[in-house]
């Protein structure tokens, strides 16, 4: 069986959650539709993953066909499956990815290309932007030993309220750690990301150059440093331009994009929160293109024209969001390959016994002048 298959990776995640007692032995296993809603995988992928759990006698049918499955194994043998490969070139990559998480998927693709071309094995763990999954992965890594690993790359699920800073520091004491794309408050570490403050600056400058003076900001995933840094750059720039953003025109959500269900519900949840009256902003800077898509959906429902009535600028150059909106967003394109090359080069320069100073590398993102501003 190809261990890189998506359904195998999802089966591994389910085993890990059972091992960590997120789904305890004796309880009813979630239905296919529930798994589809929570994790965002296709029904075919989920059914294949569940079939693996059935074949390995981890779950069994509860009598009648429609009564679902019961968890009958605690997956203690799975602990062995998570041991890192016995190769000093192995790098563990912990990040969120799925076909609708465009940045996570593109980062994974670029990292795999760069590290494989240079003879390193990239081992993947997917925390799905869930801080508890992130904790489980790191705890399991510490429990099973870090032998053979050259280091860990972590794209964290939470920068500012991460409850597991202590175990991340413990991991860093055992292995070289690089924080990729997102910083963590309370952890001094190597960091590689894009210049998010600069993105916020450019968003404000671009909309200002188009004649907008009342400009709002919206982020649907503000738990991470990328969004906070973009907002700060945006606010500071408008302040310098003499048109500071009003607090009532800043809309921040902890997370609207944990799964596909939330993405589809985002416009409904935001409907009453954004000021789209004639006295409100004539333009919005968004933390991501998913934010821009949610805003675009609301505006279209109200027959408000984009960009004639309200302009929008996003970030990520997200092809998933663009295809759902059937539009090219004004946005910023991540330098995925450059981020990956810098990550690989930093591991080459860094040994497990080296003590600081840690490196902080930020790379500029490319502005894309689309149809929404």
């Amino acid at each position: 069986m190809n261990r890189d298959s998506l359904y195998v990776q999802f089966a591994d995640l389910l085993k890990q959650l059972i091992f960590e007692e997120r789904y305890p032995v004796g309880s009813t296993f979630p239905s296919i539709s529930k798994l589809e809603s929570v994790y965002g995988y296709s029904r075919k992928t989920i059914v294949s993953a569940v079939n693996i759990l059935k074949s390995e006698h981890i779950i069994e049918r509860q009598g009648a066909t429609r009564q679902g499955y019961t968890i009958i194994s605690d997956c203690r043998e799975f602990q062995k499956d998570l041991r890192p490969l016995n190769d000093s070139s192995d790098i563990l990559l912990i990040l969120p990815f799925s076909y609708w998480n465009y940045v996570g998927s593109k980062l994974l693709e670029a990292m795999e290309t760069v590290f494989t071309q240079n003879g390193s094995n990239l081992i993947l763990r997917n925390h799905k932007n869930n801080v508890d999954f992130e904790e489980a992965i790191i705890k399991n890594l510490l429990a099973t030993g870090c032998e053979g690993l050259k280091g860990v790359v972590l794209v964290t699920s939470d920068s500012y309220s991460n409850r597991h800073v202590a175990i991340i520091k413990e991991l860093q004491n055992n292995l070289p750690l690089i924080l990729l794309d997102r910083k963590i408050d309370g952890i001094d570490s190597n960091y590689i990301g894009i210049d998010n403050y600069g993105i916020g600056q450019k968003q404000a400058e671009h909309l200002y150059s188009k004649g907008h003076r009342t400009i709002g900001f919206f982020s649907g995933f503000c738990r991470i440093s990328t969004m906070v840094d973009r907002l700060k750059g945006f606010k500071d720039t408008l302040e310098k331009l003499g048109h500071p953003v009003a607090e009532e025109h800043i809309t921040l959500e902890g997370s609207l994009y944990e799964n596909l269900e939330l993405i589809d519900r985002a416009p409904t949840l935001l409907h009453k929160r954004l000021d789209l009256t004639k006295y409100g902003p004539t333009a919005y800077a968004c933390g991501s293109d998913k934010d821009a898509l949610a805003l675009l959906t609301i505006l279209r429902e109200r027959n408000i024209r984009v960009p004639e009535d309200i302009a929008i600028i996003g970030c990520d150059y997200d092809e998933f969001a663009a295809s759902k909106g059937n539009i090219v967003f004004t946005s910023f394109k991540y330098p995925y390959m450059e981020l990956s090359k810098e990550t690989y080069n930093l591991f080459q320069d860094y040994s497990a016994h080296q003590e600081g100073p840690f490196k902080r590398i930020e790379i500029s993102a490319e502005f894309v002048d689309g149809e929404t501003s």
Side-chain angles (χ1 to χ4, degrees):
M1 183 181 292
N2 181 2
R3 300 302 298 177
D4 293 328
S5 298
L6 190 59
Y7 70 89
V8 175
Q9 294 173 6
F10 185 51
D12 284 350
L13 174 61
L14 293 172
K15 292 178 190 177
Q16 180 176 313
L17 296 176
I18 294 170
F19 177 77
E20 294 290 331
E21 298 186 345
R22 299 298 197 279
Y23 301 133
V25 172
S27 66
T28 299
F29 191 67
S31 66
I32 299 296
S33 59
K34 179 66 174 177
L35 293 172
E36 190 175 5
S37 171
V38 171
Y39 298 104
Y41 288 105
S42 70
R43 187 174 184 85
K44 180 179 178 181
T45 295
I46 292 170
V47 169
S48 298
V50 169
N51 285 336
I52 291 177
L53 269 59
K54 286 166 53 182
S55 68
E56 295 180 5
H57 305 290
I58 295 169
I59 60 175
E60 68 176 7
R61 181 72 71 182
Q62 296 180 0
T65 302
R66 294 187 178 276
Q67 289 182 339
Y69 295 95
T70 299
I71 301 170
I72 60 174
S73 170
D74 60 9
C75 288
R76 293 197 179 277
E77 287 299 311
F78 178 60
Q79 192 175 30
K80 299 177 182 177
D81 296 335
L82 291 182
R83 288 187 179 276
L85 300 176
N86 188 22
D87 188 321
S88 61
S89 66
D90 289 345
I91 301 293
L92 180 65
L93 174 60
I94 307 172
L95 84 168
F97 75 93
S98 66
Y99 73 90
W100 49 264
N101 186 338
Y102 186 77
V103 172
S105 298
K106 296 297 285 186
L107 271 176
L108 172 60
E109 179 183 1
M111 290 282 289
E112 193 276 336
T113 298
V114 169
F115 278 76
T116 300
Q117 287 177 348
N118 286 281
S120 292
N121 297 314
L122 201 61
I123 306 171
L124 175 65
R125 296 291 180 264
N126 184 6
H127 61 60
K128 302 292 288 184
N129 266 329
N130 184 302
V131 70
D132 291 326
F133 293 177
E134 182 179 314
E135 177 201 18
I137 293 168
I138 296 173
K139 277 188 173 179
N140 189 82
L141 177 62
L142 291 169
T144 57
C146 302
E147 298 85 358
L149 279 181
K150 186 174 183 179
V152 175
V153 181
L154 172 61
V155 182
T156 189
S157 59
D158 196 327
S159 291
Y160 296 104
S161 57
N162 196 310
R163 305 185 302 274
H164 312 300
V165 169
I167 65 166
I168 297 174
K169 287 183 176 179
E170 183 181 350
L171 177 64
Q172 187 176 33
N173 290 335
N174 285 273
L175 283 171
L177 172 69
I178 294 177
L179 299 181
L180 179 62
D181 186 54
R182 306 167 181 181
K183 295 164 282 191
I184 302 178
D185 192 30
I187 295 181
D188 187 18
S189 182
N190 293 300
Y191 167 74
I192 298 176
I194 61 173
D195 179 9
N196 290 292
Y197 185 90
I199 285 175
Q201 286 180 308
K202 293 173 185 175
Q203 286 179 319
E205 290 168 351
H206 175 74
L207 294 174
Y208 187 88
S209 72
K210 295 287 186 176
H212 300 284
R213 297 298 180 264
T214 304
I215 306 172
F217 187 92
F218 160 50
S219 171
F221 194 72
C222 63
R223 297 193 329 235
I224 55 175
S225 61
T226 53
M227 300 303 175
V228 174
D229 290 348
R230 288 171 195 174
L231 174 57
K232 181 169 175 51
F234 171 80
K235 292 175 68 175
D236 288 353
T237 303
L238 286 182
E239 183 80 31
K240 291 177 181 177
L241 291 170
H243 292 272
V245 60
E247 287 300 319
E248 63 267 25
H249 293 154
I250 299 175
T251 302
L252 304 177
E253 294 284 346
S255 178
L256 288 176
Y257 309 121
E258 295 282 6
N259 53 57
L260 279 174
E261 181 182 3
L262 280 176
I263 290 176
D264 290 337
R265 288 175 56 204
T268 301
L269 294 173
L270 291 167
H271 198 76
K272 295 181 179 180
R273 295 205 55 193
L274 297 175
D275 184 0
L276 303 178
T277 68
K278 64 180 180 179
Y279 303 107
T282 60
Y284 273 92
C286 296
S288 71
D289 285 353
K290 285 189 180 68
D291 299 325
L293 174 63
L295 177 56
L296 176 70
T297 302
I298 295 172
L299 297 178
R300 284 174 171 173
E301 289 173 352
R302 296 189 179 188
N303 295 317
I304 298 174
R305 299 171 301 168
V306 176
E308 293 85 355
D309 299 324
I310 293 181
I312 304 173
I313 181 170
C315 188
D316 300 342
Y317 197 60
D318 187 329
E319 294 178 0
F320 175 81
S323 64
K324 291 200 73 173
N326 193 28
I327 200 167
V328 178
F329 290 105
T330 303
S331 187
F332 293 84
K333 185 182 294 186
Y334 262 54
Y336 296 105
M337 289 301 293
E338 192 173 353
L339 286 168
S340 300
K341 290 175 182 177
E342 290 287 355
T343 303
Y344 176 80
N345 291 336
L346 184 53
F347 273 125
Q348 294 301 103
D349 297 337
Y350 194 89
S351 71
H353 304 292
Q354 181 177 343
E355 297 181 2
F358 294 118
K359 292 186 178 180
R360 179 189 177 95
I361 301 171
E362 291 190 335
I363 304 168
S364 296
E366 177 187 352
F367 173 70
V368 179
D369 195 359
E371 302 173 90
T372 58
S373 65

